[in-house]
Amino acid sequence: VKSLIFFVPRLKAKIVEGKVIKLLVKVMQDSESSIRTNAVICCGRISGQLSPAVASQTLAQVLTAGLKDPFAPCRKAALQTLAACSTVFSDEE
């Protein structure tokens, strides 16, 4: 999951929005807590390379799952990602 941060800028937008995003959302249901935490961090770090609509939708899904996670570091990562990516969301969201 961590290596996606370095690969996403080199991938085509269609692949990122079609496959990588689906993978990250799916990883949020993994049984390993550290993988879920890294998925939250990765989504925040790659959100700048996504279109605003896709970034907003993906971050909303991942951050919602991260904030509900029973693993405290995952919840903390979700809060920090939300603070860092707050400009992605509109006032209504």
Side-chain angles (χ1 to χ4, degrees), residues 25-71:
V25 171
K26 186 177 178 181
V27 167
M28 286 303 297
Q29 298 171 356
D30 195 276
S31 61
E32 186 66 38
S33 56
S34 62
I35 292 175
R36 295 190 308 268
T37 304
N38 285 328
V40 170
I41 295 167
C42 182
C43 279
R45 302 260 322 255
I46 68 169
S47 66
Q49 281 116 25
L50 302 173
S51 67
V54 173
S56 176
Q57 181 183 13
T58 304
L59 282 172
Q61 289 177 338
V62 171
L63 293 176
T64 300
L67 290 170
K68 293 179 181 178
D69 199 278
F71 188 56

